[in-house]
Amino acid sequence: MIRFLEREYSVCIKKNFSELRLKKSERVDMLVHELIQRGQEQDLSIVDGKRRFTYGETSKAINACRNRLYAKGIRRGDRVAIFSRNSAEFIFAYMGVASLGAIAVPINFQLSSREIAYIIVNAGAEHLLTYQPLDLDGALSALDYDKELRQHRIQGIGNPDDNLPDAPGLPADFDDMQPCVIIYTSGTTGSPKGAVLSHRNLVSNAHQMRFMTCEKQHRVLCVLPMYHCFGWTCSVLYPISCGAAVVILDTFTPKETIDVIRTEKVTDMYVVPSICSLLTKLAKPEDMASLRLVVSGGTTLPLKIAQDFMDKFGIPISEGYGLSEASPVVTMNPTGKAKVGSIGPLIPGVKARFVDSRGNDVPTGEPGELLVQGDNVMLGYWQLPDATAAALKNGWLHTGDVAYPDEDGYIFIVDRIKDMIISMGENIYPREVEELIYQFPGIREVALVGVDDKLRGQAGACFYSLNENETLDLRLLKKFLQKNLALYKIPREFHELKELPRTATGKISKRQILQDYLEKKKK
């Protein structure tokens, strides 16, 4: 018999939670762009700098965008790339594309021309909505792109145009299982893959988060990039589905973020650990006084960062977990009931299993690969049937993360399967070592990466940066590790960096660290 955790329409696990059931009558079978209907017409929906939009104004802007895109030739099933920083126009464009039955393809605006061209060619996009014209001719030619890419400025895309007729409505056979967006994964190995998410995937995930109790009076900060699934679902779709206001920042800078939180009285914030760390360092307690909810995701939240934030501001950080292939939220620590170090219990409507390398369920409480199932799980990878079959084997999404549940249903991530280091036949989980090093005085960031070792097969190499004006005595650090770790877990090498490289979403980029390390060794 398959053993799994299930939280169908409930966030009640055993007797630890006050029960909060999502009634079937509350379930919303709707399309993504229809979420805007959840807000009251006169209520605030978007704050973008000095600009304010009510739900009524946002709805009109989306409709204007829809008509404009239709006039440009965009039709059902077309893939439309969106290359833009966070803005109200990004929301109008995404919703306008979805309302035509077309498929949005958000692109990281920090990518190179070669990387952008790869996504456009792979998705077969013929339209690009962009805040700045892109010179992609050479990069597209190198990939034998034989279509005409039409670029359209995203600025003003929601402005009314009385000369444009209304675009026709979607046909009766268009349902919520139709593709809505292709999210290209970061491509930690090989080329990035496009996770295809349906309208149902996204709407379900926004609806599944309702136990976080966002209401129309709340203001949710959107500082994570909208092109990323975490930022889009948690900081845009979820608050819109609750009739709340989205407060937009086009990028993270500490001073501006602190100012906006204070002046706009932000209540909810979805961020990555590095943002929490910088806010702890630079913000005053009164700057964060309006916050009621801080959720960290995207990468592992070090315990020290969580504790320092709590000590200074009196606000616990709720850690969550997800992946693009799950729209993305899978677990979340409930408000006021967080367990430090855990990623929380499963959100309503999601099931989980924990399996060994052969696909067999592991005994209760033991680590195994986390598999998940639910309406939020992707349709598959764009034009990659083999990769889709491997990721969705037997109807379960294989996350690639090693985890275990405790007796209350809270889940703890051990590490990424691909990050695990095997040294002399022993498994080393980098997160365990990193958490310990974070406790050593002076350490600001740390990453443990597996490197080749002739004797052991693999060994750990520790890359770290220090707090400002701090120094590190490596002999003392090694003694500290020897006292607290098995000898085979102690890193073989230690490398100080001014700062650790990060991905566009704030994760420490172990891939880039390893690449830089190998290139340096060649010299």
Side-chain angles (χ1 to χ4, degrees), residues 462-466 470-472 494-498 500:
C462 173
F463 297 83
Y464 64 92
S465 67
L466 298 175
E470 294 275 5
T471 58
L472 180 70
F494 293 83
H495 302 276
E496 182 178 336
L497 302 177
K498 185 176 180 181
L500 272 57

Side-chain angles (χ1 to χ4, degrees), residues 325 372 377-381 387-398:
E325 291 85 346
V372 299
V377 172
M378 68 172 180
L379 299 177
Y381 292 117
T388 297
L392 300 177
K393 189 175 181 181
N394 298 321
W396 291 86
L397 173 61
H398 291 241

Side-chain angles (χ1 to χ4, degrees), residues 32-33 53 68 81 91 137 143 169 179 206 210 217 223 231 239 248 252 328 340 343 359 374 433 454 471:
V32 164
H33 56 279
F53 298 87
R68 184 168 282 111
I91 298 175
D137 291 346
L143 295 172
R210 289 183 64 191
Q217 70 269 23
V223 65
I248 297 173
F252 173 74
V340 176
I343 56 172
V433 181
K454 291 182 179 179
T471 58

Side-chain angles (χ1 to χ4, degrees), residues 25 29 64 66 81 128 151 159 194 201 255 268 292 327 342 366 372 384 448 476 492 521:
S25 60
D29 295 322
R66 181 177 194 271
L128 172 65
Q151 298 194 35
N159 293 343
N201 291 154
K255 184 179 184 304
D268 298 12
R292 71 168 193 109
S327 303
S342 86
E366 289 191 11
V372 299
L384 291 174
L448 188 69
L476 294 179
R492 183 191 71 186
K521 283 196 72 175

